[in-house]
Amino acid sequence: MSNTEIDPGNYLQQSRNSLAILILTLFALAFPLPAQSAVPPDAAAADRPKIGLVLGGGGARGAAHIGVLQELERMRVPIDAIVGTSMGAIVGGLYASGMTADELEELVGTLDWKDALSDRGERIDLSFRRKQDEDAYPIRFELGLREGELQLPQGVLQGQKLDLVLRELTLDSSHIRDFDDLGIPFRAVASDLVSGERYVMSSGDLALAIRASMSVPGAFAPVQIEDRLLVDGGLVGNLAVEVMQEMGVDIIIAVDVEFPLYNREELISAVGISEQVLTILIRKETLRQIDKLGPDDILIQPDLGIFPSTNFFESVSVIEPGIEATRERGAQLQRYALSADEFEQLLAQRRLPPPQKETIDFIRVNHDARVSADLLERRMQLKVGDPIDPASLSTEANRLYGLQVFEKVGYQLLEEGDQLGVVFTAASKRWGPGYLRFGLSIEDDFAGSTAFNMATRLWWPGINSLGAEWRSDLRLGTDPLIATEFYQPLRTDSRIFLAPRISLGQRNLNLFDAGEAVAELRLSELSFGIDAGAELGTYGELRIGAYRGYSDASVKVGDPGIEDLKLDTGGLLASVRIDTRDDAQFPRSGTQAQLIWNLSRPSLGADRHYDTVAFNVDSAWSRGRNTLALGLQFGKSLDARSALHEHFSLGGFLRMSGLERGALSGPYAGLARLVYYRRVGNLTGGLLELPVYLGASLETGNVWESRDAISFSGLRTNGSLFVGVDSYFGPVYLAAGFAEGGHNNFYLFVGATPR
């Protein structure tokens, strides 16, 4: 037993103190004080200062951030928080979500930037009707129509592909909503387009936050997050030091990669002056942020010279300057270095575990279009129980995007209880609901025959929940046309459709005698009918329908004694069309084919009884820069008395290139051609490159008056040499054609694809 005496008063006081401490402890547990820092404590950070990394914007120059991260890793300098703007948000967000600096370097060096910084999806993902639009209206520009007023898209690019790239890269962390729960707490800085204020994103969809931070106005459409319209954060906070200070770190490492001001001698154009003004405005705020750095903070400014902000193709080359600039701050940085074991422990703590589930438990489509979600889900091939695969998820998003009714289609993994699903989000185009596509075609054979047409297609998609659409064509020029068609699917689980249609147009029809043009007729045609058909996936369409119409051909040039041709037309029309080409203008792979059977019947209003069958197929194969295409065409009339305007004609570029268009005409026709072309370079460089091709063709074919006259001995041989450019107005060709007997022709095509 202890001999220590107990003072009752002292004992009572100690008991009261203990009780007070217990009450305060319980109170603190029940009502914790608000956190003073966004940087969570960890074992490695207990006895060291917390370090925050601020990565500024600068376009392709921002790849220097990767070099900074690589050198910080080599020095074993820990990073406890990251704030990124624009390209800094991409590098910082991906690093915070678990990518290493070396993985980021590999990404920058291997990513197809031209593809990522475009909205042009893979043609295989387009619906068949959108492939038809691309063929007929190749200009890569679209206007919207809303309440009778024309609307422009909010940006040249909507960022569809870049968004999917970011989603694939952040897939393992896509279920994390609070950016403080990432491997490294992260903030993305954007500009609120309405208020003009800085907007800091600390939670939500990581990929979308990164996209918003680098959404350059004009180039990219703004990103809507909740009720805010966001663009590139560089406008109001390109180097967001203040944001990092609010996260409660002790030391800030700020990396500035902004483009320098031009000197006086370089300010010689309106473009250069405009760029200088923007740089001054951004730089002013950046300098204000730099002034907020404390004496122990570290500023890193890689020497990037005048490396262009848009040169993503060579962005790997600025990683080394990032490494060198960081080494120059080595003496300051080394004081914060961890031991090898401590640094490895820190990295292990920050590796995010992948989602527990490996398969998809549910699939959902959220959208704001009139079409039903059931229709969209039935177009997808992804099924419940499929493995979680980033490539497959991107493919499904692109398949929905290929309908071209949505501005952007993204996806996100979502945890609901013990289930993990994928939610696709599709946002309708904000410049709709009607859309205008355009086409321009010029054809000249340098011998007096010229054709010029300007055309537009007005397209109204999503008219009802079944996905009905109405499209109308207007063409002005040599071959004027007015046409309209209403396309009505019958069920969401079926691709069967009805399509009433009407068209009124004119075209020229040449008459030849012994290879010499004797007259040119002007053919006017009115036709209306209704088709029933079925979509064949995204690669084809089957149709059968009835039609009624009128034709009137009058002499435009030539013998006025030739009688005008007036016909009533009517009958049945059946067709099968297939298109698996990877490109409409200069395909490198795939096949285009069609079979059309026209049954003209007096019982359906026609003046004459005849059947015609037309078939053509073109297939392409490529190796490297070289492409070989084989084409076959054949047409026949099952009645020799068929109407003149239904005869099959040959002549023109790639259709017996040495002869004038329409020089051969008859009820039977056949053509085979072998076309070779090689991509030899680009007319322009960078993101706006226009591929240039050199090619040649070998063609053989003829027309015949009867089936008995068809023979191989009657075939004629032609060929061509050409240069082609895949332009934003469609294909451009300059060609020379050669035929037996010394016949030659020269061609210029702009915006028209020779067939």
Side-chain angles (χ1 to χ4, degrees), residues 436-452:
L436 289 165
R437 297 197 59 151
F438 301 92
L440 169 69
S441 66
I442 301 172
E443 300 181 24
D444 194 341
D445 65 0
F446 300 101
S449 179
T450 302
F452 174 80

Side-chain angles (χ1 to χ4, degrees), residues 34 55 86 127 184 292 383 456 581 598 681 743:
L55 302 179
S86 196
S127 67
I184 301 174
K292 289 184 173 294
K383 305 297 181 186
T456 184
R581 297 170 299 162
N598 180 19
H743 294 284

